[in-house]
Amino acid sequence: MNEQLTEYYTSLIEHIKVSSDVESRMIEYEYLSYILELLSDAGEFDDYNIVEDGRDGAGRWLIDGYSFDENNFSLSIFGTIISSTPEQSSLSKREIEAVLKKLQNFLKKLATPEVLYNTFEPSSNCYYAAQFIQNNWSNIENIRFIILSNRLASDRMKEVKLDNFDDKVCSVNLWDLKRTFELEFSRKEREEMIIDLSDSPISCLIANQKNEEEKSILAVLPGEQLAKLYQQWGSRLLEQNVRSFLQHKGKVNKGIKATILHDPLHFFAYNNGLTTIASHAVTKETPTGTVITQLKDLQIVNGGQTTASLYSAFIKDKADLSNVSVQMKLTVISDNTQNLVSNISRYANSQNKVSDADLFSNHPFHIRLEEFSRRLWVPAKIGQKGLTHWFYERARGQYLDAQLYISGSKKKQFQLLNPRSQLLTKTDVAKIMNSWNCLPYEVSKGAQKNFAIFAELINKQWEEDDSIFGERYYRKLVCYASIFRALEKAIMPEEWYSGFRANIVTYAIARLSSEINKHNFELNIDLLWRSSSVSTSIIQLLLLLSQKINELLQANDRPIGNPSEYAKRVNFWDRVKEIDCDINDIKSLLITIEEVNYSAIKSQKTPKIETGISLQEKVMRVPKDVWQKIEDILHQEDKATVSQISILRVAMDHKKAPSEKQAIVLENLLNRYQDKVEKL
């Protein structure tokens, strides 16, 4: 563990230093960008804003970033403590308390508009952050002070507590080096969550326990207890698909809330209750029956609106929930039954508006991108010695996990072939492609909300024709990503730049893309793929657009005070589309739509690879118990071979995709024994 932690620190600090030097950005903010994206993906919060000028020169206050969760009225504010030394160092309690005090001092500056205006430069990022928090102050019930550090803190220091601030419940959340490392290496989408119910155990009935991997429990949850759990854990209590649904469709159901407020005794009868999953449940027998005393990794897969409505009534309306109870169906599952999780989420939501797009996290689209990213070599760029990969992380921690059991020269070789600067996550892909798809206002809403929109688009296209997501699509993604990241770096040293990089970049990319589309052109992906660097002419044009977009974003006559909030509005995109964009200087990098279509037809000469990938995806979607039944049938009929059993075990694992040849064997077995399986 210590050796792995040391290697992780070294790798992380090298990556942050290089990025900081290239982008002329303070190391604190480069680290902040990295860690906030990681935590957002893990469900700690959704949309977030980095405040690049949020440090008082006299050291009296600071705010490095913030996030506001509308679902549970929670404000998170971030402070960083960074070390850039070659060796790991410890984090003292005094340093943590000093940052906490500065964060609190920042909030104290928001007392009145006059103090706000006299303290912060009105055109600064810091002023906009302060103004946003002040405007939403009456809606904030909880304040989370989140300390982010690449140093090591003792477990005792992680229990720091704060008194309420202006009658708002305060908590401290420390993400030090060890905790960040454990999240990245856990192979899980989020940090382990243990809910202690020993002081208020939940009455339950064990409905089914046929095997060690699955147990079904029926329970009745007091309404106030559910509200308090949501207050404590926030969006982490909601499964990814439910979070996306609430963000996209709306959080509070008026009918549910009316029942809570005016007819609480019938809430249990009227409400469908919750469908939940957990990785572990501790139960105990009492004189009154079985109770649950602890839950690990509890996730609500259906019932997000019920939870949000209960919490809203409890907090905003001060509702008495003593007569409100919620039925809960809990399935306790092991780590190797991810396919079951997907099915529970799909079938539990089949009666409401949660779509297949909301279940996109486990879509075969990701399997296909992963396969291409491991197989396709990208031509060497300037500064690289040879061919490389753009590494796509289908699941959290794959990039680090691939290096876990190699060392020395092999590890260096892996990093040369898979540079960290060419790592792509799911939310990266959604951000990049939605920018080029002219949806900058969706990208500006934050990683999770944008991911939900991207999911809808891909799911619809996939159902119509999944063959469009072939090698050409992947090459286009890499070219788009290269331009996107080159622009991110190019903006930083510009004299006019003063913040809001994420908004400016997505809008500049979208404006260029819309102009190219208007003239029936596309970027010449084949040419860009072979190029040793991103074209200077493209970057110069994008920088010119970026400067004009920055002027619009921070114009005095903008209808919304906070620029990052303004960027989320379609009417800002309408204004950006009016900016002049001359593409004559990049004509040599464009091809006509007709040429693109011809190229796409030519690319159909590799159907074998595409078919193989589709077949792998198909067998990956087959439930584990089907393969188990086929194995049982083979044994009963005395037809089982060592090779067949080995391939069936791969199919049942679900952690690794079967090879093309294995997928063919599996499909043949499925076709041969499907009728017999259905009779079992």
Side-chain angles (χ1 to χ4, degrees):
M1 174 68 172
N2 289 337
E3 185 178 340
Q4 291 175 355
L5 196 59
T6 300
E7 289 181 3
Y8 175 70
Y9 173 81
T10 302
S11 173
L12 182 59
I13 203 64
E14 285 177 357
H15 170 70
I16 300 302
K17 276 185 173 181
V18 169
S19 298
S20 177
D21 291 341
V22 169
E23 301 194 17
S24 303
R25 199 181 193 190
M26 286 178 64
I27 193 170
E28 286 86 356
Y29 297 118
E30 205 57 48
Y31 180 76
L32 193 63
S33 297
Y34 177 83
I35 193 68
L36 290 185
E37 184 171 353
L38 176 71
L39 297 183
S40 176
D41 288 348
E44 290 295 318
F45 39 79
D46 296 309
D47 189 13
Y48 61 85
N49 294 277
I50 292 175
V51 183
E52 295 187 29
D53 53 12
R55 296 196 166 209
D56 175 35
R60 294 164 296 188
W61 51 262
L62 71 80
I63 178 171
D64 289 331
Y66 65 96
S67 173
F68 180 54
D69 187 342
E70 296 177 355
N71 287 336
N72 75 334
F73 320 117
S74 176
L75 171 71
S76 298
I77 56 174
F78 312 120
T80 54
I81 306 174
I82 303 299
S83 171
S84 57
T85 60
E87 302 295 328
Q88 296 174 42
S89 58
S90 298
L91 188 59
S92 70
K93 184 179 180 182
R94 186 179 63 201
E95 289 173 302
I96 295 171
E97 290 175 341
V99 170
L100 287 173
K101 185 177 180 180
K102 291 177 183 179
L103 289 170
Q104 288 176 309
N105 286 343
F106 172 81
L107 293 180
K108 290 175 183 177
K109 298 290 183 183
L110 312 184
T112 65
E114 292 75 21
V115 173
L116 186 73
Y117 191 84
N118 292 329
T119 304
F120 310 113
E121 166 59 42
S123 62
S124 67
N125 287 252
C126 194
Y127 176 82
Y128 296 134
Q131 187 181 55
F132 175 83
I133 295 171
Q134 187 183 69
N135 291 342
N136 287 278
W137 193 251
S138 61
N139 294 320
I140 296 169
E141 296 291 333
N142 312 294
I143 303 175
R144 302 168 67 207
F145 294 85
I146 301 181
I147 310 298
L148 308 163
S149 179
N150 65 344
R151 292 158 65 181
L152 285 168
S154 69
D155 292 335
R156 182 174 55 85
M157 291 182 200
K158 297 172 185 176
E159 300 300 323
V160 179
K161 294 185 179 180
L162 289 178
D163 294 332
N164 288 0
F165 185 95
D166 194 22
D167 294 328
K168 302 181 190 303
V169 178
C170 295
S171 62
V172 179
N173 202 337
L174 173 61
W175 281 89
D176 70 337
L177 180 69
K178 183 181 178 184
R179 190 177 179 189
T180 307
F181 166 80
E182 288 173 346
L183 175 62
E184 288 221 64
F185 270 94
S186 67
R187 304 185 189 183
K188 296 181 179 179
E189 290 295 322
R190 59 183 68 212
E191 188 183 40
E192 183 177 85
M193 181 172 66
I194 297 176
I195 300 175
D196 183 7
L197 301 168
S198 54
D199 291 336
S200 52
I202 301 171
S203 298
C204 70
L205 172 68
I206 309 295
N208 179 36
Q209 189 174 2
K210 64 180 180 180
N211 58 54
E212 293 182 0
E213 293 184 350
E214 182 183 343
K215 178 164 62 175
S216 299
I217 298 174
L218 298 176
V220 176
L221 192 60
E224 186 171 334
Q225 188 172 14
L226 176 58
K228 288 181 176 179
L229 284 174
Y230 188 56
Q231 183 176 38
Q232 178 181 359
W233 297 100
S235 60
R236 290 192 62 198
L237 204 61
L238 306 177
E239 199 259 348
Q240 166 70 52
N241 309 315
V242 178
R243 279 172 41 227
S244 298
F245 172 67
L246 285 180
Q247 292 158 6
H248 191 44
K249 309 294 185 183
K251 57 186 181 296
V252 176
N253 182 292
K254 292 180 180 178
I256 295 175
K257 196 169 181 179
T259 304
I260 296 167
L261 297 175
H262 306 299
D263 194 10
L265 289 173
H266 288 108
F267 184 86
F268 187 88
Y270 296 162
N271 189 262
N272 290 330
L274 310 180
T275 301
T276 63
I277 58 173
S279 62
H280 184 65
V282 177
T283 57
K284 183 174 72 172
E285 295 300 325
T286 70
T288 57
T290 308
V291 295
I292 303 171
T293 59
Q294 187 189 88
L295 288 170
K296 182 178 174 183
D297 298 328
L298 177 67
Q299 298 273 276
I300 296 170
V301 299
N302 182 265
Q305 280 197 324
T306 294
T307 305
S309 300
L310 267 170
Y311 181 70
S312 177
F314 181 61
I315 294 297
K316 292 297 181 184
D317 301 288
K318 309 301 178 186
D320 178 9
L321 302 184
S322 59
N323 291 317
V324 175
S325 297
V326 184
Q327 56 184 313
M328 179 175 75
K329 181 173 67 174
L330 169 67
T331 305
V332 182
I333 54 179
S334 64
D335 289 338
N336 60 349
T337 51
Q338 183 58 47
N339 196 63
L340 177 62
V341 175
S342 300
N343 285 337
I344 290 172
S345 187
R346 182 181 299 276
Y347 299 136
N349 288 297
S350 63
Q351 300 303 312
N352 61 29
K353 294 183 291 181
V354 177
S355 66
D356 283 345
D358 294 314
L359 305 168
F360 186 62
S361 291
N362 304 305
H363 197 281
F365 169 83
H366 302 297
I367 298 172
R368 189 172 292 186
L369 284 192
E370 179 187 29
E371 194 279 336
F372 285 140
S373 79
R374 305 299 190 270
R375 179 168 61 81
L376 294 180
W377 293 97
V378 181
K381 307 300 179 186
I382 293 174
Q384 296 176 341
K385 296 181 179 179
L387 303 177
T388 60
H389 292 299
W390 276 71
F391 193 101
Y392 180 64
E393 269 198 339
R394 179 171 64 88
R396 172 157 314 287
Q398 281 184 315
Y399 182 78
L400 290 172
D401 193 49
Q403 305 172 61
L404 189 58
Y405 301 110
I406 58 176
S407 59
S409 59
K410 288 186 178 179
K411 188 168 188 175
K412 286 186 177 180
Q413 181 68 7
F414 175 88
Q415 292 171 348
L416 284 173
L417 299 179
N418 303 274
R420 191 161 193 153
S421 60
Q422 294 177 192
L423 172 64
L424 287 171
T425 65
K426 293 177 183 177
T427 51
D428 286 336
V429 171
K431 174 176 64 178
I432 291 162
M433 296 307 289
N434 271 359
S435 295
W436 285 98
N437 289 335
C438 301
L439 296 170
Y441 48 92
E442 300 292 358
V443 176
S444 294
K445 291 175 183 175
Q448 298 303 323
K449 292 178 182 177
N450 179 60
F451 184 75
I453 296 298
F454 180 68
E456 288 187 2
L457 295 173
I458 296 300
N459 193 71
K460 182 179 179 181
Q461 293 172 332
W462 187 279
E463 289 180 351
E464 291 173 355
D465 181 11
D466 68 282
S467 68
I468 64 175
F469 300 103
E471 283 191 19
R472 181 172 178 79
Y473 178 87
Y474 180 75
R475 291 173 189 266
K476 180 187 290 188
L477 167 62
V478 169
C479 292
Y480 284 174
S482 300
I483 296 171
F484 194 98
R485 291 186 174 172
L487 178 59
E488 285 183 318
K489 294 177 181 178
I491 276 179
M492 297 304 295
E494 292 295 305
E495 289 185 5
W496 53 263
Y497 175 73
S498 61
F500 307 105
R501 182 178 72 164
N503 305 124
I504 295 169
V505 168
T506 184
Y507 270 94
I509 294 286
R511 179 64 190 93
L512 174 61
S513 182
S514 67
E515 190 69 19
I516 292 173
N517 294 338
K518 186 170 75 173
H519 295 282
N520 292 317
F521 285 116
E522 247 194 44
L523 287 172
N524 188 335
I525 297 304
D526 293 333
L527 178 63
L528 295 177
W529 179 266
R530 296 192 301 269
S531 177
S532 61
S533 64
V534 176
S535 166
T536 303
S537 58
I538 286 183
I539 297 302
Q540 289 303 315
L541 177 53
L542 285 168
L543 282 174
L544 182 63
L545 291 171
S546 297
Q547 184 175 2
K548 293 177 180 178
I549 289 164
N550 180 65
E551 292 169 0
L552 274 181
L553 191 62
Q554 301 198 54
N556 292 330
D557 63 346
R558 63 181 181 276
I560 297 171
N562 190 315
S564 62
E565 292 299 309
Y566 187 25
K568 298 174 185 177
R569 305 296 196 271
V570 177
N571 61 343
F572 181 63
W573 172 231
D574 291 337
R575 292 197 65 185
V576 169
K577 284 189 288 187
E578 296 173 358
I579 295 174
D580 289 336
C581 179
D582 186 353
I583 59 173
N584 282 322
D585 288 345
I586 63 167
K587 277 284 183 68
S588 62
L589 304 174
L590 306 177
I591 56 175
T592 64
I593 295 298
E594 289 76 16
E595 290 174 300
V596 172
N597 293 336
Y598 177 68
S599 179
I601 292 171
K602 285 176 62 180
S603 69
Q604 295 295 324
K605 64 183 181 181
T606 56
K608 182 182 177 183
I609 293 174
E610 296 292 350
T611 303
I613 296 168
S614 298
L615 195 56
Q616 287 171 293
E617 294 161 357
K618 176 183 175 182
V619 299
M620 284 278 287
R621 292 196 296 269
V622 176
K624 175 182 175 180
D625 65 314
V626 171
W627 299 122
Q628 183 62 62
K629 288 176 182 178
I630 290 175
E631 181 180 336
D632 293 341
I633 293 169
L634 287 171
H635 284 302
Q636 291 168 7
E637 296 181 355
D638 199 24
K639 295 180 180 179
T641 66
V642 174
S643 176
Q644 286 175 330
I645 299 305
S646 176
I647 293 172
L648 283 167
R649 295 291 164 82
V650 170
M652 285 186 268
D653 187 10
H654 276 162
K655 290 182 179 178
K656 181 181 178 182
S659 69
E660 227 174 288
K661 291 182 180 179
Q662 289 173 332
I664 293 171
V665 173
L666 290 167
E667 188 188 39
N668 289 336
L669 288 171
L670 191 63
N671 292 335
R672 191 184 312 160
Y673 293 106
Q674 191 161 10
D675 291 340
K676 292 183 179 180
V677 167
E678 290 174 355
K679 292 177 183 178
L680 291 178

